Amino acid sequence: MRIGVILKDGARRVGVVSGDGKSIRPFMLAADQARRGALAVIEYSIANGGELPPLEPHSFDLREAKLEAPLPVPRRNLWCVGRNYRAHARELETTVFKDNAPDPAAWPIFFTKAPETVIGPNDTVKLPGPLSAQIDYEAELTIVIGKGGKNISREEAMGHVYGYTIVNDVTARDVQMRHQQWDLGKSFDTFCPMGPWIVTADELDGTNTRVRCWVTTASGERELRQDAVTTDLIFDIPTLIETCSRGITLYPGDVIATGSPAGVGMGMTPPRYLQEGDSVRIEVDGLGVIENRFA
C-alpha cells in the first residue's frame, strides 16, 4: 500500500495512492488529523489493531492536486545515518573526515535534521545565499517507524518498520565542516525533500532495493551520480533501529534515513556542488521518484 498526502482546494488530505500512481483515495480524517499527514494513519492503525481509517467514496486525480511530503509535520527531528555505504565512506575520507576519520565499520554515525527541513517531493529547495556555497545532495532510502519502542533488538527490529519513503539529505558542506558537527549544515529550511509517499513494509523489501540519483544542471545536462543497492549498507536496517533505540524511545512516524551511496558532489575531483537552477532526481526501486529544483 502507498500512503500519500495531497493539498487540494486549500485542504490537506491523506489517502491510498493507486497502483499506477495516478490517483489517490482519501481517508475520512478530521482536518487536524490530516494536517499531520500519514502520521495520523499510522497512529490510527496502531490503536485499532492494524485497521485503517475508513475511506472516502471518491478518488482524486493526482495531476489535479499538489503532492506533499507524506510526513509534512514530523513530530520531531529526523534521524539520519552518515557514511553507511563503504564507497561513500571512502570518498569522504579526505574531506569532511580528513582530521577525524573513524572506522566506518565500528559504529553507525547518527545525526538529526530539524522538522522544518521537510518539503514535498517536487517542491523547490531554497539555496541559502551567502550562508553557504557548497550545497550537496544525498539520496537515501528512509525507514518510517510504525510500532514504537525502546531498546529494540535487531531480531525484533523489522516488526517496528511501518514502511519506507525517500529523502534527499541536502547538506551545506562548508557549514558542516565549519562547526565540526552536522546538524546545522543539514538543517536549513527546505533541506529535506521527502516522498513521493510511504510504501508499507509488506510491499517493499527495503533491505534489498536500488537507490539512484541524477543531477540535471541549469543548462540541461543530466548525469547519473549515485547508484547502489541497499544490500551494500555497512549497517543494515535492523542494526540501525537497534542502535537508534538504545536508551531512546522511538515513536510511530519517526524516520531513519539509512545513508547515502557514493557519488556526492563533495566526493568528486574537483567537487561539484549544486547551483541555481539545478535539479536532483532520486529514484528507489519499488518506491517511486522525487525531483526537486534548487533556486
Side-chain angles (χ1 to χ4, degrees), residues 91 95 137 223-226 263-272:
E91 74 177 349
T95 56
Y137 53 87
E223 180 182 9
L224 177 65
R225 297 277 185 91
Q226 297 181 282
V264 297
M266 178 182 240
M268 297 181 175
T269 306
R272 297 170 65 184

Side-chain angles (χ1 to χ4, degrees), residues 1-7 12-17 24 27 29 32-43 62 66-76 78 115 117-123 140-145 162-168 192-200 204 252-256 287-292:
M1 179 173 57
R2 301 173 179 180
I3 298 178
V5 177
I6 61 169
L7 186 66
R12 180 171 288 160
R13 294 172 180 264
V14 187
V16 177
V17 178
I24 184 169
F27 294 106
L29 297 173
D32 63 328
Q33 293 176 303
R35 185 188 70 85
R36 299 182 297 141
L39 177 57
V41 177
I42 296 170
E43 291 181 334
L62 281 177
K66 180 182 184 294
L67 191 60
E68 296 196 301
L71 295 166
V73 187
R75 70 160 73 238
R76 60 177 178 179
L78 294 77
T117 59
V118 174
I119 58 173
N122 304 116
D123 289 346
E140 307 201 14
L141 174 74
T142 299
I143 305 160
V144 180
I145 295 295
Y162 185 81
Y164 303 91
T165 191
I166 300 169
V167 303
N168 185 349
C192 190
M194 177 190 290
W197 35 65
I198 294 171
V199 175
T200 52
L204 176 65
D254 274 346
V255 300
I256 303 174
L287 208 165
V289 174
I290 68 173
E291 186 164 4
N292 304 86

